[in-house]
Amino acid sequence: MAPVSPHTQNVTVDDVITSYSQACQKLNCKQIPKLTRQLQDLTDLSGRVETMDLKGERLDHKACEALEEIFKRVQFKMVDLEQTNLDEDGASALFDMIEYYESATHLNISFNKHIGTRGWQAAAHMMRKTNCLQYLDARNTPLLDHSAPFVARALRISSSLTVLHLENTSLSGRPLMLLATALKMNIVLRELYLADNRLNSLQDSAQLGNLLKFNNCIQILDLRNNHIMDSGLSYVCEGIKEQRQGLVTLVLWNNQLTHAGMVYMSLCLPNTQTLETLNLGHNAIGNEGVRHLKNGLIGNRTVLRLGLASAKLTCEGAVAVAEFVAESPRLLRLDLRENEIKTGGLMALSLALRVNQSLLRLDLDREPKKETVKSFIDTQRALLAEIQNGCRRNFVLAKEKEEQLQQSASMTEIASPALEDSSTDPEESNNSVEDSSEASNQYTNATPVDSEDGEITTTKEVEGESDSDTEEEDKEAAVEPKPKENPGQVTVSSPGRGQKVFLVTRVDNPNCAEEDKKLPELTKPLDEEVVSPGSNALANGLEQESGNITPRCDKKDSLGVYSDSELEDLLRDASTEPDPALNVITL
């Protein structure tokens, strides 16, 4: 039988309350007033309701059975069963209901010390079968040797659970071994909380190190208030060094660590690829340990938050931390509370903050430490204020950078549609350029440049062989309309390959004024004659302006001394047989 979904029922709040009341009467148990009030406050049953809060209520087997009438009709995001004095029967019944009706995405069963083996077995079945359960909080609910195999089997094949709280559940020994072995194969769990389990520095720490070697999916590992110690930290660090990605937050608060353990951590930190939060508070690290740690932190590229509260630091240790702060371009938060940091240490931190532009929060004790010189008390207060101002400055800078990034992103989004609209098909644009080039090719294959001595210099013919650095200029010349020749220019077109065109510029000579009268008679038949490009006659292209050409009379080869046929031969030779190695043609 498939679970009944409230999405397919037309249920009302009154229906839910009535059904719950009737079930309580049938089972001869009292209604829970706290629960009835919560049901009365419901308005929308179409989706998951925020919370069913039964924290602190005593739930026996009958009270748990009556809750089924609610789970049939309403689904919740959080079902809070903390400290409800569940026994094996009640816990088994509730977990079966939650699994069958998919009643919750977040479940809190903490502080229930008597759910026993059958209760944990039902919880493991629920973890394995339900597809919606993402969060399970079982703090202070003992998971003993005979119950651990069920949970380990469920975690090995669990497909939905991402957060698991097992603080103070007596995991040390065989339960942790089973749990760590199962989690090596788990690729869904993201957060694992194992605080207050008296985990030791030998077997338990070795299991944790092996877990970290094989599991790259766990992002938060909370080991606070255990007995990891320096030898156990070596196993954990070896596991972290094997990770290419994975662990983001590591909490080692109060694990009896000393300066010796910081050697392992210093060697581990440069190899971490994802670690962003490292909490080493309440460990006797001391100044020597911080000096070791500093070297690893400077070589690290990921740590954003560092906890060193109550780490037995003095001014010497604060100076080492300040050196790291000055070097770090990414550290966001630093906790140095409950340390004996006095004027010298505060001065070093203040100077480091003048250089650092990333640190947004530096936690220090509010009250100044006792000094032998009373004036130093005021100095400490001034330095504390300066440190706070430095953090505020960095916060403002970070805010401005964020706003600038948002503005640039929004401008990019606005500009993208405009660019898409204005862009044309590249093939069409190329075709238009090619067509224009072909249409104007016979007119503008060469561009003349007038030299000072009257000689004519032409650019390379546009024949598809142009150099890359002049290709764009040739295209532009091909698209532009034909320029009008000056009155002193003659256009000569060659019938050969490429339709070469040469422009001959007139050079006036005042000594040849008498020959101007003879030239119109010479050029009149040339203007009236039209010759095709392939004929052997005079090359085409001599325009009306050619009548204005003035010969150079100071030389023997001027136009005035040639007959008509000689002049035609000379022009034909110049237009049809140019030396390709020459760029200058002189008449």
Side-chain angles (χ1 to χ4, degrees), residues 346-375:
L346 294 177
M347 188 173 296
L349 292 170
S350 176
L351 292 174
L353 263 173
R354 295 182 183 180
V355 179
N356 181 282
Q357 295 185 350
S358 65
L359 190 61
L360 304 180
R361 179 173 175 180
L362 176 54
D363 293 318
L364 293 163
D365 295 328
R366 294 183 178 180
E367 294 299 322
K369 304 297 181 180
K370 293 182 179 179
E371 295 269 14
T372 55
V373 181
K374 292 184 178 180
S375 62

Side-chain angles (χ1 to χ4, degrees), residues 6-76:
H7 299 284
T8 62
Q9 295 181 350
N10 295 321
V11 295
T12 64
V13 174
D14 292 335
D15 293 338
V16 177
I17 296 175
T18 301
S19 301
Y20 174 61
S21 301
Q22 291 175 354
C24 289
Q25 292 176 1
K26 182 178 179 180
L27 294 168
N28 195 20
C29 65
K30 293 182 179 180
Q31 298 184 42
I32 303 174
K34 180 179 181 179
L35 179 58
T36 303
R37 289 193 298 269
Q38 293 178 40
L39 294 175
Q40 290 172 348
D41 293 337
L42 298 180
T43 57
D44 185 11
L45 301 181
S46 60
R48 287 191 181 273
V49 177
E50 195 65 33
T51 305
M52 173 190 274
D53 185 6
L54 296 175
K55 181 178 180 179
E57 299 291 334
R58 184 181 180 86
L59 300 179
D60 56 15
H61 177 65
K62 292 182 179 181
C64 292
E65 290 289 345
L67 293 176
E68 184 172 6
E69 297 300 324
I70 298 175
F71 290 140
K72 278 182 181 179
R73 296 166 173 83
V74 184
Q75 289 179 320
F76 300 88

Side-chain angles (χ1 to χ4, degrees), residues 16 144 223 270 350 353 381 521:
V16 177
L144 304 179
L223 299 175
S350 176
L353 263 173
R381 288 195 176 94
E521 299 179 358

